[in-house]
Amino acid sequence: MSKQDPKKLFIKTYGCQMNVYDSERMAEVLGEKGYVSTDTPDDADMILLNTCHIREKAAEKIYSELGRFKGLKAAKPDLKIGVAGCVAQAEGQEIMRRQPMVDLVVGPQSYHRLPQMEEQVAKGRKALDTDFPEEDKFEHMKARPKAQRGPTAFLTVQEGCDKFCAFCVVPYTRGAEVSRPADRILTEARDLVDRGVREITLLGQNVNAYHGAGPTGEVTLADLIWQLNDIDGLQRIRFTTSHPNDMDDALIDAHGTCDKLMPYLHLPVQSGSDRILKAMNRKHTAEEYINLIDRIRGARPDILLSGDFIVGFPGETDQDFEDTMALVEAVKYGQAYSFKYSTRPGTPAAERAQIDPDVANDRLQRLQALLKDQQRDIQNQMVGREVAVLFEKAGRLPGQLIGKSEYLHAVHVHAPADMQGQIARVQITESSSNSLAGTLLQTVAA
Ligand code: 5AD
Ligand code: SF4
């Protein structure tokens, strides 16, 4: 490599969309240090794993992934290897002990300190930062670069969580709930729109608990959505992930009245059993959740609902599981994520008696079969309907584009390549396992 060549950065992202956003921001921060992104670890000068600690499997994957980089490090001793994200936060120094080839460990609240950490590792030292600093990392990161980008973007508005569900590591890895000031978010959103973004997904571990500082007082998520609604050129707004107890009236109303807010809502319930919900510290009942769904559907009848479920939580009986199945039957989800309970050290539920893993496996299979049926039914019901598709990229077939409908279904359409980044009316003609196909009707003006 000649002196002028930029250094190459390979980031591998695990876990949630907040990590996707953080990886983009880390790449930008390291851009200041002369790094450009590469999509393979083979020619990288720095490899960063942006990790997830939510379930045991996700965390263990990191150690096996690191093992795979041994050969690369042996061939290129200058290669720097870093671990970021929630495993970094939870396991810190332990990572360097288990994998001595790791040069850098950075927790999710410290990414703005990456330039200094990079200088340290460039000198052959190790760097570790898993503080929860007073300063807000986003406010200490430079403005985002001005390069043109794709039509959809994530924007983190809130981090951390104060809910302390008994199974969850987030309050420990991401810390207490913090909301970014509204004006920063609006500036970042306008900037994204100037660079070609048409759809913004507001992110937060508990996004509907957002309560950022505004010029005349506190701003809620509904307020923020209405302010984003006024940005010309921004056509779609989404948000994730929400807690049922933070779905306030204004936010429910916005689903019926704000044209740019898309009819899709990810609203995890985790279980349909009141006993388990209580043991999980969810602070609501199954009936309250179902009533909430009724109100949301009252505001926006065609909304597509998505959820998260955990089976095999300590103490879950057959009846508790049947209650979860009954809740799913009652709600009808268009999309869902379901998991076997995974013990997370340091969380309250980790101390409790675990249930038989075979029983948990059987339950997971039954629940997933039901959720899959519902997902397929709702997708099939789209056939014959007209939807609006925001084209994101070229499809696999020549002349084909792929985009997302309002309901977040992937839709394949034959359309001119220059329609990427535009929204068009599409008639749905086909539903296959994971996507829809349709024919182009007309373009909708931006
Ligand atoms: N075990 C299994 N699933 C979990 N989740 C969070 N913690 C655990 C755990 N310990 C799931 C929840 C949450 C989603 C992001 O991950 O369903 O909503
Ligand atoms: Fe974890 Fe979500 Fe519960 Fe917060 S609300 S503790 S992030 S599951």
Side-chain angles (χ1 to χ4, degrees):
M1 187 170 95
S2 78
K3 271 231 157 82
Q4 299 89 314
D5 280 343
K7 290 175 283 185
K8 291 194 176 147
L9 171 69
F10 172 73
I11 304 188
K12 185 159 178 179
T13 308
Y14 300 81
C16 65
Q17 290 133 326
M18 303 204 43
N19 270 6
V20 175
Y21 177 82
D22 282 346
S23 290
E24 280 181 18
R25 301 297 308 260
M26 283 194 275
E28 290 165 9
V29 168
L30 286 168
E32 292 164 34
K33 287 273 153 199
Y35 282 87
V36 296
S37 293
T38 171
D39 49 18
T40 158
D42 300 335
D43 65 350
D45 298 286
M46 181 183 284
I47 296 174
L48 272 184
L49 300 183
N50 192 6
T51 62
C52 173
H53 200 248
I54 198 93
R55 284 169 290 276
E56 189 180 358
K57 252 196 212 148
E60 276 307 311
K61 221 168 17 186
I62 301 310
Y63 288 102
S64 53
E65 186 74 39
L66 285 169
R68 261 179 254 145
F69 296 140
K70 261 196 186 125
L72 284 179
K73 183 101 174 177
K76 190 181 195 178
D78 278 350
L79 169 67
K80 303 299 176 200
I81 295 183
V83 178
C86 295
V87 176
Q89 188 63 45
E91 303 194 0
Q93 198 80 49
E94 171 72 7
I95 299 171
M96 286 181 179
R97 199 189 56 74
R98 270 181 76 175
Q99 286 287 0
M101 66 174 170
V102 171
D103 302 285
L104 179 156
V105 172
V106 59
Q109 303 311 325
S110 306
Y111 297 151
H112 55 300
R113 296 179 179 165
L114 268 171
Q116 295 92 296
M117 295 177 81
E118 192 273 342
E119 279 168 25
Q120 217 171 313
V121 297
K123 290 180 196 144
R125 296 199 214 116
K126 303 252 178 196
L128 179 131
D129 192 335
T130 53
D131 286 352
F132 282 107
E134 281 294 306
E135 74 262 31
D136 175 347
K137 69 175 173 199
F138 296 122
E139 310 325 330
H140 284 77
M141 285 163 122
K142 285 213 173 124
R144 308 189 71 168
K146 298 290 172 208
Q148 201 63 16
R149 47 176 297 159
T152 63
F154 293 133
L155 203 175
T156 294
V157 301
Q158 176 281 330
E159 283 196 285
C161 183
D162 296 336
K163 295 277 192 292
F164 290 92
C165 297
F167 49 81
C168 185
V169 286
V170 166
Y172 312 97
T173 52
R174 292 272 175 166
E177 204 267 300
V178 179
S179 294
R180 297 177 67 192
D183 60 342
R184 303 292 184 118
I185 295 166
L186 293 166
T187 303
E188 193 170 325
R190 279 189 213 100
D191 181 60
L192 287 168
V193 171
D194 287 347
R195 293 161 57 201
V197 169
R198 296 289 164 260
E199 171 180 307
I200 290 179
T201 302
L202 304 174
L203 299 181
Q205 260 99 22
N206 213 172
V207 72
N208 57 344
Y210 175 82
H211 58 107
T216 54
E218 207 165 78
V219 173
T220 64
L221 185 65
D223 298 333
L224 190 62
I225 288 168
W226 281 109
Q227 289 174 19
L228 287 163
N229 189 57
D230 288 339
I231 298 179
D232 286 340
L234 179 62
Q235 289 170 291
R236 291 180 160 189
I237 304 165
R238 303 180 186 276
F239 61 90
T240 198
T241 288
S242 297
H243 191 289
N245 288 357
D246 294 315
M247 283 305 294
D248 62 25
D249 289 346
L251 190 54
I252 296 174
D253 279 356
H255 272 291
T257 50
C258 178
D259 288 341
K260 291 185 184 177
L261 184 59
M262 291 293 103
Y264 180 103
L265 179 65
H266 183 61
L267 197 60
V269 65
Q270 316 296 354
S271 168
S273 151
D274 288 345
R275 235 174 49 80
I276 295 297
L277 287 169
K278 192 157 197 290
M280 285 176 163
N281 192 31
R282 291 289 292 182
K283 298 199 171 79
H284 62 77
T285 63
E287 192 186 349
E288 282 162 352
Y289 178 82
I290 292 193
N291 289 342
L292 174 62
I293 298 289
D294 285 347
R295 284 170 55 216
I296 296 164
R297 284 194 165 130
R300 182 75 202 224
D302 63 337
I303 199 162
L304 189 142
L305 289 164
S306 162
D308 288 342
F309 299 89
I310 295 178
V311 300
F313 186 76
E316 187 186 68
T317 62
D318 285 343
Q319 185 55 52
D320 292 322
F321 175 66
E322 294 310 329
D323 290 349
T324 298
M325 295 291 276
L327 179 141
V328 171
E329 292 278 13
V331 172
K332 302 211 177 344
Y333 289 91
Q335 175 71 264
Y337 305 88
S338 46
F339 313 98
K340 212 168 27 157
Y341 169 70
S342 167
T343 310
R344 306 315 290 128
T347 59
E351 310 296 324
R352 303 178 193 165
Q354 308 294 304
I355 78 155
D356 179 347
D358 291 339
V359 171
N361 277 330
D362 286 351
R363 288 179 187 164
L364 185 63
Q365 276 180 22
R366 274 189 60 204
L367 176 63
Q368 288 188 336
L370 174 62
L371 289 166
K372 203 167 155 205
D373 278 355
Q374 292 194 342
Q375 189 175 333
R376 193 183 337 101
D377 285 352
I378 289 175
Q379 206 188 278
N380 290 349
Q381 285 164 21
M382 301 307 294
V383 175
R385 279 186 58 181
E386 209 181 296
V387 295
V389 176
L390 171 57
F391 291 121
E392 292 176 22
K393 56 184 181 195
R396 262 189 299 130
L397 301 176
Q400 194 186 52
L401 293 181
I402 303 182
K404 297 272 168 56
S405 76
E406 305 90 319
Y407 309 100
L408 215 54
H409 285 127
V411 187
H412 298 249
V413 183
H414 278 280
D418 64 3
M419 284 186 71
Q420 264 189 61
Q422 293 184 37
I423 295 181
R425 303 297 307 172
V426 168
Q427 173 103 41
I428 301 299
T429 53
E430 240 184 275
S431 170
S432 52
S433 60
N434 275 320
S435 64
L436 297 167
T439 49
L440 193 60
L441 296 174
Q442 70 183 90
T443 312
V444 176

